[in-house]
């Protein structure tokens, strides 16, 4: 159920030098005195967060005339239709998703426009509010960075304050400050030091980087160095294989990384573990020598992370990585097990007529053994899409088959709210990512 937000201070345009003074004036107006016996609203004091929210493709689609809606970062029907229209116009595979080829074409076509034609008239709705699920975690301050296309005219600032209404009818409201900064990427780079100075001292600091992370980018470096946790979502990485390697580099540098896409795998991991809980199956876990992973074509991040998780748990050492392509963009990984046995992993990108909400969702997992006596054959299928390819083989009848129910809400905002409740290093994720990195470095 959504929690309504009330505005203590609606968005107000100010100069960069006025940000702290303007925010302080909000709380001074709520303090005791002038006949008040209690403050109407108080500033939350749980954490502060920077949100880097590019939504570059919506701006490009708007500038090219394919998209008429607001720049809001919502991958809804209107946005997907605009992407399909652009893909059709540029003779690209029509998926309704922005992959690296689509984004490159959008950038190229936008660059061909004259300066007068490059004006993006879509309303920029980024930064005015935040999901109620996150607001309920009592953030002290949210700083949203909104890169824009066009001429570099510096950085503009807006401040506001919103308060979630509590059901317990406590006295007063606990409110969050919002700072929204807009400018070109170059302009935002110039104020990176100021951005970090806006984070509240002595409180946990989070960075939600809603783009492909670039460890070489000055802004990203400044933010990652001063934060307790950098949060990403690999389902929207334009080149998942390369970006997962970058995540491993950051972990090696002692940067705490949290990937929201990793949490979407928890039902698959839990059900996989549960199928081997019975002693009569657990004893054959080490006999597994073939794992097949089917995922929705477009993003291999989930499949790679699941493979990394499984390999790290069973101590498989990756030896060889090959890509044979074809209709399913097949990838094969050869492992060596703890008893020196050979193990094969296969990743298959399945074209889907009706793609789901999350790019690259797992469709199916199949675990088998060449040992006919091993009771370990297991097929896991997505409850929403099924896995016909997994069940087509003649041996499927002898496999234990289970359906996986996805997490209740896979949206990034919901997962973010959960992440904020349990922040701390995730050793299991880091070990799985290290296995993925070892696999990808064999390419």
């Amino acid at each position: 159920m959504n929690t309504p937000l009330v505005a203590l201070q609606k968005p107000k345009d100010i100069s960069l030098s006025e940000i702290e003074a303007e925010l302080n004036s909000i709380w001074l107006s709520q303090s005791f005195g002038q006949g008040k016996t209690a403050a109407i609203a108080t500033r939350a004091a749980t954490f502060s967060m920077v949100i880097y929210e590019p939504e570059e493709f919506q701006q490009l689609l708007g500038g090219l005339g394919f998209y008429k809606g607001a720049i809001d970062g919502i991958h809804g029907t209107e946005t997907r239709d605009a992407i399909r229209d652009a893909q059709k116009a540029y003779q690209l595979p029509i998926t309704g998703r922005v992959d690296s080829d689509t984004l490159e074409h959008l950038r190229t076509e936008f660059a061909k426009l004259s300066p007068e034609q490059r004006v993006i008239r879509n309303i920029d709705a980024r930064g005015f509010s935040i999901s109620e699920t996150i607001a309920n975690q009592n953030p002290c301050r949210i700083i949203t960075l909104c890169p824009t296309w066009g001429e570099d005219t510096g950085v503009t600032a807006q401040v506001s304050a919103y308060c979630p209404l509590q059901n317990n009818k406590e006295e007063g409201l606990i409110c969050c400050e919002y700072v929204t900064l807009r400018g070109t990427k170059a302009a935002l780079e110039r104020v990176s030091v100021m951005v970090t100075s806006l984070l509240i001292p002595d409180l946990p600091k989070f960075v939600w980087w809603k783009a492909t992370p670039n460890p070489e980018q000055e802004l990203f470096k400044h933010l990652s160095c001063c934060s307790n946790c950098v949060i990403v979502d690999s389902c929207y990485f334009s080149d998942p294989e390369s970006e997962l390697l970058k995540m491993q580099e950051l972990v090696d540098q002692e940067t705490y990384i949290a990937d929201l896409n990793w949490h979407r795998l928890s039902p698959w991991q839990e059900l996989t573990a549960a199928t081997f809980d019975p002693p009569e199956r657990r004893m054959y876990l080490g006999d597994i020598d073939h794992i097949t992973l089917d995922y929705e074509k477009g993003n291999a991040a989930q499949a790679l992370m699941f493979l990394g998780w499984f390999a790290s748990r069973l101590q498989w050492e990756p030896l060889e990585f090959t890509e044979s392509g074809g209709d399913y963009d097949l990838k094969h990984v050869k492992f060596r097990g703890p008893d020196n046995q050979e193990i094969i992993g296969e990743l298959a990108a399945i074209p889907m007529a009706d793609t789901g909400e999350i790019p690259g969702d797992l469709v199916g997992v199949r675990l088998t053994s060449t040992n006919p006596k091993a009771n370990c054959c297991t097929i896991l299928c997505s409850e929403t899409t099924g896995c016909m390819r997994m069940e087509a083989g003649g041996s499927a009848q002898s496999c234990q088959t289970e359906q996986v129910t996805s997490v209740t809400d896979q949206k990034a905002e919901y997962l973010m709210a959960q992440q904020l409740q349990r922040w701390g290093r995730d050793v299991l994720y880091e070990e799985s990512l290290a296995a993925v990195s070892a696999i990808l470095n064999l390419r």
Side-chain angles (χ1 to χ4, degrees):
M1 190 167 100
N2 289 338
T3 302
L5 298 177
V6 295
L8 187 64
Q9 164 69 63
K10 292 185 178 180
K12 179 179 180 180
D13 295 319
I14 59 171
S15 67
L16 294 181
S17 61
E18 296 174 320
I19 291 175
E20 289 290 0
E22 185 63 34
L23 291 172
N24 286 334
S25 71
I26 294 173
W27 306 116
L28 285 172
S29 68
Q30 302 298 319
S31 62
F32 300 99
Q34 299 178 348
K36 297 178 183 178
T37 58
I40 298 172
T42 56
R43 179 204 236 181
T46 308
F47 64 92
S48 54
M49 175 184 286
V50 175
I51 301 177
Y52 184 85
E53 188 167 6
E55 302 313 331
E56 175 187 17
F57 69 89
Q58 280 187 331
Q59 296 181 64
L60 294 173
L61 289 166
L64 292 166
F66 294 104
Y67 178 64
K68 306 299 183 184
I71 310 299
D72 56 11
I74 298 174
H75 295 243
T77 302
E78 189 175 3
T79 299
R80 286 194 291 269
D81 288 346
I83 296 168
R84 290 190 181 97
D85 290 343
Q87 290 170 331
K88 182 178 180 180
Y90 302 136
Q91 298 182 331
L92 299 168
I94 301 174
T95 63
R97 291 175 176 161
V98 178
D99 52 29
S100 55
D101 287 343
T102 301
L103 184 57
E104 188 59 36
H105 270 80
L106 292 176
R107 288 171 175 165
T108 300
E109 294 300 322
F110 189 83
K112 293 177 183 177
L113 300 178
S114 67
E116 294 76 18
Q117 293 174 312
R118 292 183 191 177
V119 177
I120 298 171
R121 295 180 173 83
N122 303 66
I123 296 172
D124 192 343
R126 298 171 295 172
F128 289 121
S129 62
I130 197 165
S131 168
E132 295 89 342
T133 57
I134 299 175
N136 275 332
Q137 305 304 316
N138 291 329
C140 178
R141 181 176 291 179
I142 300 290
I143 304 158
T144 305
L145 308 179
C146 304
T148 59
W149 278 74
E151 185 182 355
D152 185 347
T153 57
V155 176
T156 62
Q158 288 179 316
V159 296
S160 56
Y162 289 90
C163 322
L165 290 175
Q166 305 298 327
N167 293 327
N168 55 12
K169 298 181 180 179
E170 295 176 350
E171 286 190 23
L173 299 170
I174 301 175
C175 307
C176 171
E177 303 169 345
Y178 294 82
V179 179
T180 304
L181 303 179
R182 288 186 174 81
T184 63
K185 289 183 179 180
L188 291 174
E189 287 278 304
R190 293 197 299 270
V191 299
S192 57
V193 174
M194 187 209 72
V195 173
T196 56
S197 72
L198 290 172
L199 292 167
I200 307 297
D202 303 322
L203 288 182
K205 302 172 181 66
F206 297 94
V207 173
W208 186 6
W209 194 266
K210 297 171 73 173
T212 297
N214 182 1
E216 301 304 315
Q217 186 178 350
E218 284 301 316
L219 179 60
F220 184 85
K221 285 197 290 188
H222 275 288
L223 292 174
S224 60
C225 287
C226 75
S227 70
N228 298 99
C229 177
V230 177
I231 302 166
V232 300
D233 191 342
S234 60
C235 84
Y236 290 112
F237 285 177
S238 57
D239 183 359
E241 288 85 349
S242 297
E243 310 315 329
L244 289 172
L245 287 174
K246 289 180 182 177
M247 295 302 95
Q248 181 59 45
E249 291 174 11
L250 290 168
V251 171
D252 290 340
Q253 297 165 11
E254 299 298 321
T255 301
Y256 168 33
I257 297 290
D259 186 348
L260 300 180
N261 207 24
W262 166 255
H263 297 309
R264 298 186 182 103
L265 289 176
S266 58
W268 292 86
Q269 295 165 328
E270 291 166 6
L271 189 54
T272 302
T275 60
F276 288 95
D277 276 345
E280 65 271 17
R281 299 199 89 230
R282 192 181 312 152
M283 62 184 294
Y284 292 110
L285 191 58
D287 286 285
I288 295 172
D289 54 23
H290 201 110
I291 175 172
T292 301
L293 296 162
D294 285 1
Y295 62 95
E296 286 189 15
K297 193 169 188 175
N299 186 302
Q302 280 194 20
L304 285 167
M305 287 193 292
F306 187 95
L307 180 59
W309 168 73
F310 202 81
S312 66
R313 295 306 89 198
L314 296 186
Q315 299 180 329
W316 294 350
E317 177 190 358
L319 301 177
E320 185 179 313
F321 183 98
T322 57
E323 299 183 70
S324 52
D327 292 339
Y328 296 123
D329 293 336
L330 291 178
K331 300 176 177 64
H332 292 94
V333 185
K334 182 186 294 185
F335 298 92
R336 180 168 54 223
D339 295 326
N340 215 35
Q341 71 271 38
E342 181 180 287
I343 300 149
I344 299 297
E346 179 181 275
L347 281 73
I350 309 300
M352 307 292 288
D354 185 17
T355 55
E357 183 180 15
I358 306 301
D361 258 343
L362 271 187
V363 172
V365 175
R366 180 171 179 153
L367 307 168
T368 57
S369 173
T370 52
N371 177 6
K373 297 182 180 179
N375 180 15
C376 64
C377 187
T378 305
I379 295 176
L380 305 182
C381 297
S382 167
E383 188 179 58
T384 54
T385 58
C387 50
M388 293 178 60
R389 200 177 80 94
M390 295 286 185
E391 299 173 306
S395 61
Q397 295 178 351
S398 62
C399 291
Q400 179 171 332
T401 302
E402 304 283 351
Q403 284 192 326
V404 180
T405 303
S406 63
V407 292
T408 307
D409 193 335
Q410 297 200 81
K411 292 179 181 177
E413 287 78 7
Y414 179 81
L415 296 173
M416 169 62 72
Q418 293 184 319
Q419 177 66 41
L420 292 170
Q421 295 177 36
R422 62 183 176 216
W423 70 283
R425 301 197 79 89
D426 187 337
V427 175
L428 188 59
Y429 166 71
E430 292 185 356
E431 290 178 352
S432 303
L433 183 62
V436 172
S437 180
I439 291 168
L440 294 175
N441 279 324
L442 294 171
R443 292 182 299 170

